[in-house]
Every structure is written in structure tokens, then in C-alpha cells.
Amino acid sequence: MSGLLAALALHAAMIVAVDSVRPQWRDPEFYHRYQKLAAALRANRRTQAHSVVAVLGSSRPQMGFSPDHAADGYGPGAPLIFNLSQSGCHPIGERLNLQRILNAPVRPDFVLIEVWASGLARRTKREEQIPMSRLSLSDLATVSPYLYDEAAARRQWWQIQASPWWTYRMNVLAHQGLESLSPAERQQNFLWSDMRPNGWSPYYPPVWSKEEQERRQALAMTWFAEPLGEFHLDPNAESAHRDLLTACRTHGLKAALYLMPESPTFRTLYSADAKREVRDYLTRLSDEFGVPVCDASEWIADDAAYMDGYHLLGPGAEAFSRRLGRDLLRGWVPPNGHSRGE
């Protein structure tokens, strides 16, 4: 009996831990980044010396957006910019991560929101955009309106609660410095351990051959042929973006939308109808919510600047980030302190 009670206590302790004091065991990519942002927000709260910008998006800005390079040219009083992007994070994930930010006692002043056609596309195979293992109970409530099959998603979430030690074992091992005990193909600690202090995770390969780039690009062209070539807007994704922008407006956060660069070859995947539908979508959101849109999709027009056609390598990320800082941020985010609502 004592053994059973101990097991139940450990089970309950893990559920409580990942929902409160150790959320980085549940969603390490986001929470390791957010913890750095929160520390900077607390320090800045005392002085209001800097505007604070949070960047939301997928693995593309995670690898391709450098806050330091975006702040080049500001001089004294440059904003504090944090990259909170996350692999596989599309509109529903962005909506979730904004809510997590809003639930905290201190918040940024500005939010940059990635828009990517692949994340907006309605697919033939309807799969949820977000892994249930990343979610707390309150997170589940946030994303529920955007799920294809809420009942099935909730069943999956409760199944995870039945075996939390097994579900999060790889992350726990990694956080204890024991990632070598996990199979190499399951190790993902690089997603947070290799990031810069401002959340950027660049990739600077010592050698990146044309053959490897072409191989990865060919895979990407296969993966995204359907969602980009036969694009149809997913209403759940649109609802997530609309609710995200509504939440920003309600809480006094200034928002902007941006499109990441893509290689010339990768952009051939888009049909004329897809380009038109995405352009119309951005225009509707911009007009309705009064937010600027920065279309950087053609800014880095060199296939060799990408890992696979849609993820920038380090030098391309630097160039893109500098231009985004010059063309968008400097006219949108003032230097020195900023009070929401001004």
C-alpha cells in the first residue's frame, strides 16, 4: 500500500510541476525563452527605459530572426526584442503563446506575429496544429475553440495526464544533464540549449554543400506542394489570428504581421490563387485591426541562403533581421521607453 501511495504522490507531483513550477519540462522551447523575457520585463518595469517587443512564430523566425541585428541602428534606447518563436507553431500556437504572455504580471509593449500560408492552409488530412503534450489545463481551454475534434483532443490530453513521467521523460532527462540516456534521434534539447539569450536559434553550418541544400529543398517541395499549390484558408487558423489580434487590442499591445523570406525556388510552389488569397487575408486583417503588414517573402532572393528553401541560414537571417529593423521596427517601435496607449 505504501508503494502505491508513493507512486500516486509522484504521479501527482509531476502533473503539478509541469503545470506550475516546471513548465519548461512540458514545453521547453517556449518557456526557456519566456523566462528570459520575463526577467528582462521585470528589470525594465522599474525604469521603463526600453520598449519591449515579443516575436511570435514558427521555426522559420526561430532560426531566421535575430533580435540583435534587428536592433542595429537604433543607438541608445533601442528596444528589447525577444524571439519567442517555436518549432511547429502556427496560428493556434501563436494564439496560445500570446495568452501565456497575457496571463503573466508583466507584458511586452509590441508583438510581431508571423503569418505563413502553410499554417493557414486547410489540409486534406485534418490534424491538430498543436501537440497536446505541450498544454496545461488552462492552455487546453485556450486552444479548444480552434481544434478540429475537441473531444478527441481532450481524450488525448487526459491520457497524457495518466502517464506524465513517461510523456516528459526525455525533457526531464535533458534538464538534468542526462540527455545521453535518451536515443539520439529523440534528443531535442538543442531546441533550447543552442539559443541565444534573446531567443534566436541560428544555424551556421561550417559546410553546407549545394547537394545537401538541394536534397532538403526537394523534400520541402514535396511536403508543401499540396498546402501551397492548392491553398484554401482554414477557418480555425483564421479564427485564431483574429482572436489573437483582438486580445492584443484589448490589452493594449501593439501588433504587426510579418511574412518570412522564402527562396525563389520555394516560392514557385504558390499558385496564383494561393498568392491572391493570402494577400487578401492580410489586407482584411490589416484593415480590420489597423495593424501594419511586412511582407518580407522576397527579401532574400538566393536559394543558397536557405537550409531548405524556407529556413534561413545564419548569414541570411542577419541580413533579413537588419532590414526588418530598418523597414518596419524603426518606424513602428520608438526608442527609449514606451507606455501602452500613448
Side-chain angles (χ1 to χ4, degrees), residues 37 40-41 44-45 47-54 67 71 74-82 107-111 254 329-340 342:
L37 169 62
L41 284 170
N44 191 59
R45 189 182 194 180
T47 63
Q48 290 293 305
H50 301 273
S51 303
V52 181
V53 183
Y74 265 96
L80 301 176
I81 308 173
F82 284 82
R107 301 166 182 165
D109 305 293
F110 297 82
V111 182
K254 295 186 180 297
L329 294 183
R330 285 183 224 168
W332 181 56
V333 181
N336 301 316
H338 172 75
S339 297
R340 286 187 292 274
E342 290 181 351

Side-chain angles (χ1 to χ4, degrees), residues 102-246:
L102 293 176
N103 289 342
V106 286
R107 301 166 182 165
D109 305 293
F110 297 82
V111 182
L112 269 175
I113 303 157
E114 182 196 16
V115 176
W116 186 25
S118 176
L120 295 172
R122 184 175 70 241
R123 286 169 165 77
T124 302
K125 184 178 181 182
R126 292 165 66 87
E127 295 179 336
E128 304 299 355
Q129 277 195 358
I130 192 163
M132 293 298 108
S133 60
R134 288 182 179 176
L135 306 182
S136 69
L137 184 58
S138 61
D139 290 341
L140 182 60
T142 298
V143 304
S144 287
Y146 319 112
L147 300 175
Y148 294 127
D149 188 338
E150 182 180 350
R154 286 185 175 274
R155 285 195 299 272
Q156 183 185 358
W157 188 85
W158 281 110
Q159 288 168 0
I160 289 168
Q161 308 316 300
S163 55
W165 283 95
W166 177 258
T167 300
Y168 301 117
R169 67 195 186 283
M170 302 297 180
N171 289 344
V172 172
L173 287 172
H175 284 90
Q176 304 307 312
L178 300 173
E179 62 273 3
S180 60
L181 298 179
S182 304
E185 66 275 8
R186 298 293 301 276
Q187 294 176 20
Q188 292 192 316
N189 53 302
F190 68 91
L191 291 171
W192 64 90
S193 61
D194 291 351
M195 72 177 181
R196 303 287 175 89
N198 50 30
W200 182 35
S201 293
Y203 187 41
Y204 289 93
V207 176
W208 194 250
S209 68
K210 189 172 187 295
E211 291 73 22
E212 178 64 12
Q213 189 270 339
E214 289 177 346
R215 183 186 72 82
R216 289 182 180 249
Q217 182 168 265
L219 289 173
M221 299 292 280
T222 299
W223 293 336
F224 296 108
E226 178 192 338
L228 300 183
E230 303 173 22
F231 181 85
H232 297 286
L233 182 63
D234 187 324
N236 287 6
E238 180 174 7
S239 294
H241 266 162
R242 288 183 172 278
D243 290 348
L244 189 163
L245 291 170
T246 298

